[in-house]
Amino acid sequence: MIRLVVLCILLVQLGYSQSTDEEQLGKIYKTALTQGKSYDWLNYLSNQIGGRLSGSIQAQQAVDYTKQELDSLGLDRVWLQPVMVPKWVRGTPEFAYFETSPGVTTDVPIVALGGSVATPPKGIKAEVVEVKSIEELAKLGTEKIQGKIVFFNRPMDPTQINTFAAYSGCVDQRYAGAKEAFKYGALGVIVRSMNLRLDDYPHTGSMSYGDLPVSERIPAAAISTNSAELLSTALKLNPKIQFYFKQNCKQFDDVKSYNVIGEIKGSTHPDEIIVVGGHLDSWDLGDGSHDDGAGCVQSMEVLHLFKKLNYKPKRTIRVVLFMNEENGLRGGKEYAKVAKNNQEKHIFGLESDAGGFTPRGFSFDGPDAAFDQILGWRELFEPYLVHMFEKGGSGADIGPLKNDEVMLAGLRPDSQRYFDYHHAENDTFEHVNKRELELGAATMTALVYLVDKYGVPAQ
């Protein structure tokens, strides 16, 4: 009889807790959709500051602006964390064409890949060799490649429902193509843009020469998907066509920048830290609204919503706007280094760096016990159509925090349109839907609320 009474009490308490959580999540979503600041913050970042490449004036303006806005929220602490970042400058706009016969040319849009060297002042003109992979490049070897421009033309796999999987399946040609092509005497590299859509926007992104000395580095550029199709067709008709491109980019010495950090101190477990964040830098072609202005303002919104709801967290909730994710990851590495030196205890990290689209769920990287607990919260998100809770990656900037105890997570919005804008000139404010952005911020806040309330068990 006594056991039955105890069981009834526990069931009543469980039901009360569930009801309370449902009500709290309802308040979070309602407040985000009616009183949120994320869209206004993004409007300023995008339209008043613009592209925020590491080391640029715009990157510093973004640091100043977001610190000012975090200060205005009445947080317990806001500060800047210094970090040295690379400074790469694109220079004057790139120019390219291919020549099918003497004097008959077709202009094509290209952009230098981030970190590339410039062409000689008069540009490069040579025959083109099309390949679909680094493996195919190696099979052709020096005899077929030397003195030519290598054209990497492997498209993203359209059959992949998760477009990030399609991206991962071909991004090696962008990142390592120039380093590999140099081995066989190539003069330069042209890479098909990482984009599922056929359009005229070339997409930039980071590339690496590995440990090649500067004197052995060859220029690398991305070509739009429409132009990649056109060039490929032209090569089938005439393998001897000539390709010309010119770019003026330059790498400078590292400069000082900052991670922007704000926090609400925990009331009962202040030494346990929950981090939410995105990266403040962006590429320079568009204004970086989806990548990753959206993630930054959503992360700021988490703390704003808690303040708006007068929610006093048990644990310390910290927002970090990381600098230099795009071409170095210096901000994420520096944050983790300082946290380790200060012996800080991070129990949870959540990153938003997949665009400001409709939230679908989260991927989690951490202890099985913590994941099992989080799975028990999934039904709370079902009314908001957020169903995907799965094991997987988290985010590049919070990745350096990984250890055996911390649970890391990434917000996973619908990915179908993301690569239409990723690293391209059309990654602009007009392509972000206000409601979708706010739903993402609310979804992040809801998860952080539950982690704060219940904690996460270690391995």
Side-chain angles (χ1 to χ4, degrees):
M1 181 68 180
I2 295 175
R3 288 182 179 178
L4 181 60
V5 171
V6 171
L7 178 60
C8 289
I9 292 172
L10 288 174
L11 289 172
V12 169
Q13 289 176 339
L14 180 63
Y16 174 75
S17 176
Q18 182 82 348
S19 175
T20 301
D21 291 338
E22 289 175 358
E23 292 173 3
Q24 186 65 25
L25 263 63
K27 291 177 183 177
I28 288 170
Y29 277 90
K30 180 179 179 180
T31 306
L33 292 168
T34 58
Q35 302 178 60
K37 289 190 171 186
S38 59
Y39 195 67
D40 290 338
W41 283 330
L42 185 61
N43 184 13
Y44 192 95
L45 271 179
S46 301
N47 293 321
Q48 300 303 314
I49 296 176
R52 305 170 296 279
L53 192 58
S54 292
S56 67
I57 293 172
Q58 291 83 359
Q60 183 58 47
Q61 289 173 336
V63 167
D64 295 338
Y65 171 69
T66 51
K67 182 180 185 299
Q68 171 187 311
E69 291 303 308
L70 288 176
D71 279 328
S72 72
L73 298 182
L75 306 179
D76 293 319
R77 187 184 175 203
V78 177
W79 72 101
L80 300 180
Q81 184 178 76
V83 56
M84 298 300 292
V85 300
K87 182 179 177 66
W88 178 83
V89 176
R90 183 174 302 282
T92 55
E94 302 86 345
F95 177 69
Y97 64 79
F98 63 85
E99 186 177 67
T100 50
S101 59
V104 180
T105 63
T106 301
D107 292 352
V108 291
I110 67 162
V111 293
L113 294 179
S116 175
V117 296
T119 59
K122 293 184 179 181
I124 291 175
K125 187 176 182 181
E127 290 184 9
V128 182
V129 177
E130 179 180 354
V131 298
K132 292 296 199 304
S133 67
I134 290 174
E135 292 73 21
E136 184 180 349
L137 172 77
K139 288 179 181 178
L140 291 176
T142 304
E143 183 180 347
K144 298 288 182 67
I145 300 298
Q146 190 164 21
K148 297 177 182 178
I149 294 170
V150 173
F151 169 37
F152 285 98
N153 191 32
R154 182 164 83 259
M156 292 175 65
D157 182 358
T159 67
Q160 293 278 359
I161 302 304
N162 178 357
T163 62
F164 283 88
Y167 175 75
S168 297
C170 63
V171 74
D172 63 329
Q173 59 192 337
R174 187 196 76 197
Y175 188 75
K179 179 185 70 172
E180 296 301 319
F182 169 79
K183 296 177 182 177
Y184 308 104
L187 299 180
V189 163
I190 300 295
V191 182
R192 182 190 182 101
S193 288
M194 305 293 109
N195 180 11
L196 282 158
R197 186 172 68 174
L198 290 175
D199 62 25
D200 294 316
Y201 293 103
H203 295 226
T204 191
S206 62
M207 54 84 66
S208 172
Y209 293 107
D211 56 2
L212 283 177
V214 175
S215 62
E216 297 180 359
R217 298 179 180 184
I218 59 175
I223 188 172
S224 72
T225 49
N226 271 340
S227 294
E229 293 288 297
L230 182 62
L231 178 58
S232 181
T233 300
L235 284 167
K236 288 179 176 64
L237 296 173
N238 178 9
K240 296 295 184 181
I241 67 174
Q242 300 267 308
F243 191 93
Y244 170 86
F245 75 110
K246 184 178 186 297
Q247 57 192 41
N248 304 277
C249 38
K250 185 176 180 180
Q251 188 77 48
F252 293 87
D253 292 338
D254 291 354
V255 297
K256 181 186 285 189
S257 190
Y258 303 91
N259 292 328
V260 184
I261 307 174
E263 69 180 23
I264 302 172
K265 205 72 173 175
S267 58
T268 57
H269 305 289
D271 294 335
E272 295 184 6
I273 299 170
I274 298 170
V275 164
V276 291
H279 65 85
L280 194 52
D281 63 305
S282 75
W283 287 106
D284 54 324
L285 299 177
D287 59 45
S289 287
H290 276 299
D291 188 19
D292 184 31
C296 287
V297 299
Q298 287 173 329
S299 299
M300 294 166 66
E301 188 76 282
V302 172
L303 275 67
H304 171 240
L305 291 175
F306 282 151
K307 296 294 287 186
K308 202 74 181 174
L309 292 167
N310 293 314
Y311 176 76
K312 302 189 187 316
K314 296 179 180 180
R315 296 163 174 86
T316 295
I317 313 295
R318 181 180 292 175
V319 59
V320 183
L321 310 181
F322 298 95
M323 184 56 68
N324 184 233
E325 186 271 349
E326 292 291 6
N327 60 335
L329 204 65
R330 302 279 185 87
K333 292 177 180 177
E334 182 67 17
Y335 178 80
K337 175 184 173 183
V338 172
K340 183 178 180 180
N341 290 342
N342 291 341
Q343 297 183 323
E344 292 180 338
K345 181 181 180 181
H346 287 73
I347 66 164
F348 188 78
L350 173 60
E351 185 167 336
S352 173
D353 185 17
F357 302 101
T358 302
R360 298 300 186 201
F362 304 94
S363 61
F364 298 92
D365 181 12
D368 290 339
F371 181 63
D372 290 342
Q373 173 175 292
I374 290 170
L375 279 179
W377 303 334
R378 181 164 53 184
E379 66 182 56
L380 291 167
F381 291 84
E382 289 181 358
Y384 308 100
L385 305 180
V386 179
H387 298 142
M388 189 186 78
F389 283 51
E390 63 181 20
K391 293 280 275 186
S394 55
D397 282 305
I398 60 174
L401 290 171
K402 183 175 173 61
N403 58 37
D404 292 337
E405 298 182 353
V406 66
M407 170 59 82
L408 302 178
L411 177 69
R412 293 293 172 251
D414 189 290
S415 71
Q416 302 312 313
R417 290 170 287 155
Y418 182 66
F419 290 98
D420 294 354
Y421 310 109
H422 183 246
H423 297 175
E425 184 182 351
N426 62 338
D427 183 7
T428 52
F429 181 71
E430 68 195 67
H431 294 121
V432 176
N433 178 277
K434 180 176 183 290
R435 184 172 179 82
E436 291 180 325
L437 181 74
E438 292 168 345
L439 287 169
T443 297
M444 293 172 67
T445 308
L447 181 61
V448 170
Y449 156 74
L450 291 166
V451 171
D452 176 64
K453 181 176 179 179
Y454 297 106
V456 287
Q459 188 76 309

